[in-house]
Amino acid sequence: MADTPHWNTTAEPAPAEPASTEPASASAATTSSVSPGRRTAPGPAFALLGTVQIALLFALTALIVPLPRIGRAFSLDRADLILLSSAYGLSFSGLLLLGGRVADRFGGRRALTAGLLVFTAASLAALLAPGPGTLLAARFAQGVGAALAAPAAMSVLRALFPRPAAYGRAMATWGGLSMLGATAGHLLSGAVSAFASWRLTQAVPVAVAVLALALGPRLLPVTPVGGPGRSLDLPGALLSTAGITLASYGLVLTDARSWGSTAVLVPLLGGAALLVAFLAAERRSHDPLLPLAFLRDRRRALALAAVGLTAAGTATTFILLSLHLQQERGWPALQTSAAFVPFAVALLVSGRTAGPLIARYGAPAVTTAGLAAAASGLALLALTGLTPHIPYAYGLLPGLLLLPAGAAASFAGAAVLATDGVEPRQTGLAGGVMNTAMELGPTVVLAALLTLGSDPASLAATAAVLAAAAFLNTRTAQPST
């Protein structure tokens, strides 16, 4: 792809652009308009958008560790806790495609503001929830706000870095931020729940959203709107939202019900039928919510698969190891969270080095190497991590370092590939599709792994899937035809 203007997504270096990994450190000479007569450097704006992205993913995972305490406080059984822990993800994943269309139709900054307003109100409701019903409704509403805000943030990011090379560097960092947010939710929620009320985990999203609402008009560029000719494709939005939400709900229920039970089969089959109807409707639509051609690019399709599978691998590890350490080894919540600190450190280090590696070796090569490293980390955890008599330093630590190092690299490379060549008017669509892959990956993979009945087998199977994805991604080093 040496003859294209896009940032080095092939295995060839791009000498025309410096190999900086941090968009926030871009030259002050590179500016973006915020309002008529005012210009600003992109660094602070990127920092604000990145913090929002971290907060959205933080809120998604912040209730996982404190779930036992919430269950005792509200007298909830296992099925209720499963629904509570999944509520955010159900509405988030189901509405992301519509959120991307809203951002493309009405402008990224407007959609981001609307999403943050909903997210702030919902997070406050979760913080102050007097009972389980209010908390459940608040979690669903948080997902609605996040589904508007997440793709809109990527749309603003594109306006902030209009040059393909700069936007590619930004996306390399963006992929790492997504994983950092989910990891922070696991770590901080355990620490908070050990010393204070679980409600304080909801204070972080509130603070970040209020900060973004206050600083957004000053820091973020005005983004173009799609124009009155673009519709929201409400039929497609209704079908996709209902289909994804129903199917995801059915998959979530497999944790407590059998695959052949009515409670699982009805939403699974209903969701599948709605998604088939959605694809049929999109083929006939003049302005589809999800143009099917968007997914026909081989490299983009494999990149989205890498995003979903990497998210699934890290989510599987957090859930299985958190349960193992607390239930099998008797570790308290704080010690369990502390066990994942090396995971977070490796994630940060790998995220910072991913950009220069992509600039030198290309996004496909870094994505492939990251998938292979993550698969190796999962394989180590399957072999030694769940054996109680093996010390932490020998059994868990090697896998908890290798997995995040590979996952951050894979996410960074896949984020570049998934958005390479996307037209500015479809940036919201790209953000919605990428975040949907990130949400659905863990849901689908975890539901499938539950059938194995063994935690080591689950980790080993996830490692095998990631290794297969790495093999398939080796072909993305060649330009798609």
Side-chain angles (χ1 to χ4, degrees):
M1 293 179 60
D3 57 342
T4 68
H6 302 301
W7 185 57
N8 187 29
T9 57
T10 69
E12 301 171 1
E17 292 289 335
S20 171
T21 182
E22 294 292 338
S25 65
S27 170
T30 304
T31 58
S32 299
S33 63
V34 177
S35 62
R38 184 190 302 167
R39 299 176 72 82
T40 183
F46 181 86
L48 181 64
L49 290 173
T51 303
V52 168
Q53 178 73 358
I54 289 174
L56 297 179
L57 275 299
F58 174 95
L60 178 66
T61 59
L63 289 190
I64 291 179
V65 175
L67 272 180
R69 294 187 63 180
I70 297 173
R72 291 191 294 270
F74 291 140
S75 301
L76 300 178
D77 58 22
R78 180 179 175 85
D80 293 331
L81 288 176
I82 291 172
L83 181 58
L84 180 61
S85 66
S86 307
Y88 183 119
L90 288 174
S91 55
F92 187 27
S93 59
L95 288 167
L96 275 167
L97 291 179
L98 178 59
R101 171 52 66 91
V102 170
D104 290 336
R105 170 64 178 83
F106 296 103
R109 200 172 80 171
R110 288 181 181 177
L112 178 62
T113 300
L116 287 174
L117 286 172
V118 174
F119 185 73
T120 303
S123 298
L124 276 172
L127 176 65
L128 303 172
T134 304
L135 181 58
L136 180 64
R139 291 292 286 173
F140 272 113
Q142 278 182 311
V144 174
L148 279 173
M154 284 185 59
S155 180
V156 176
L157 189 68
R158 181 61 178 267
L160 193 63
F161 298 98
R163 292 185 304 158
Y167 181 62
R169 290 194 299 271
M171 286 310 303
T173 303
W174 195 259
L177 292 178
S178 299
M179 291 198 62
L180 180 61
T183 302
H186 283 282
L187 293 179
L188 294 183
S189 64
V192 169
S193 62
F195 296 108
S197 170
W198 59 267
R199 296 178 184 273
L200 291 182
T201 61
Q202 302 304 297
V204 174
V206 172
V208 171
V210 170
L211 179 68
L213 287 169
L215 296 181
R218 298 182 58 188
L219 296 179
L220 301 181
V222 176
T223 53
V225 298
R230 296 209 72 190
S231 70
L232 289 179
D233 186 19
L234 290 179
L238 289 173
L239 288 170
S240 66
T241 299
I244 291 173
T245 303
L246 265 181
S248 299
Y249 179 67
L251 290 171
V252 166
L253 287 181
T254 59
D255 182 66
R257 309 285 181 88
S258 68
W259 283 83
S261 66
T262 302
V264 170
L265 283 179
V266 170
L268 270 182
L269 295 178
L274 288 171
L275 289 175
V276 170
F278 166 68
L279 293 176
E282 295 302 276
R283 288 181 179 275
R284 296 192 301 268
S285 175
H286 295 295
D287 190 15
L289 183 71
L290 176 60
L292 300 184
F294 185 81
L295 301 177
R296 290 195 187 112
D297 182 275
R298 173 170 50 86
R299 297 195 310 163
R300 180 174 294 124
L302 288 174
L304 292 171
V307 167
L309 291 173
T310 303
T314 55
T316 299
T317 300
F318 267 108
I319 292 174
L320 295 184
L321 291 187
S322 294
L323 291 174
H324 168 77
L325 292 176
Q326 293 182 77
Q327 295 177 352
E328 301 297 328
R329 301 196 185 190
W331 289 17
L334 181 60
Q335 187 178 1
T336 299
S337 291
F340 289 95
V341 170
F343 185 104
V345 173
L347 195 68
L348 286 170
V349 173
S350 180
R352 286 192 62 85
T353 59
L357 290 174
I358 293 172
R360 181 170 183 179
Y361 299 107
V366 173
T367 303
T368 299
L371 286 168
S376 300
L378 283 167
L380 283 176
L381 291 172
L383 289 172
T384 61
L386 300 177
T387 305
H389 67 270
I390 299 181
Y392 171 85
Y394 304 109
L396 281 171
L397 187 58
L400 287 178
L401 291 174
L402 190 55
L403 170 60
S410 171
F411 243 91
V416 173
L417 289 171
T419 55
D420 179 49
V422 173
E423 299 178 14
R425 67 183 182 88
Q426 290 187 320
T427 307
L429 167 66
V433 171
M434 194 170 79
N435 279 280
T436 300
M438 186 167 58
E439 289 307 303
L440 289 182
T443 302
V444 173
V445 171
L446 281 172
L449 293 178
L450 289 174
T451 62
L452 298 177
S454 165
D455 289 349
S458 297
L459 291 174
T462 309
V465 174
L466 285 174
F471 174 76
L472 291 175
N473 267 275
T474 58
R475 302 185 60 186
T476 67
Q478 302 299 323
S480 58
T481 57

